[in-house]
Amino acid sequence: MSREKNDSIQCTIHNCVHHAQNADYCTLDRILVGTHEQNPTEKECTDCDSFQYKIS
Ligand code: SF4
């Protein structure tokens, strides 16, 4: 399965079902970025909430 990459969303998470695989981009039209922290202060505090684990 190969879907069109979204040039506006670069991503290196190949384990996600939405990753383009043949290039480091997401295939979604848009993503939701969120946090698992009460008070995010570093990039490690942020998450892609659109991530879905790809079972290979
Ligand atoms: S949904 Fe998030 S983690 Fe998944 S490919 Fe898109 S940007 Fe990357």
Side-chain angles (χ1 to χ4, degrees):
M1 183 182 66
S2 177
R3 280 173 295 171
E4 192 82 9
K5 67 185 172 85
N6 182 339
D7 286 328
S8 298
I9 307 176
Q10 289 182 281
C11 180
T12 59
I13 313 301
H14 290 247
N15 277 2
C16 178
V17 294
H18 302 301
H19 194 272
Q21 300 302 326
N22 56 356
D24 279 344
Y25 287 90
C26 183
T27 58
L28 294 177
D29 291 337
R30 61 184 176 187
I31 61 166
L32 175 64
V33 176
T35 183
H36 51 274
E37 303 283 350
Q38 293 284 348
N39 179 31
T41 56
E42 298 177 334
K43 67 179 181 181
E44 286 80 4
C45 302
T46 66
D47 305 306
C48 177
D49 283 338
S50 300
F51 171 85
Q52 284 186 275
Y53 180 54
K54 178 171 79 72
I55 301 159
S56 49

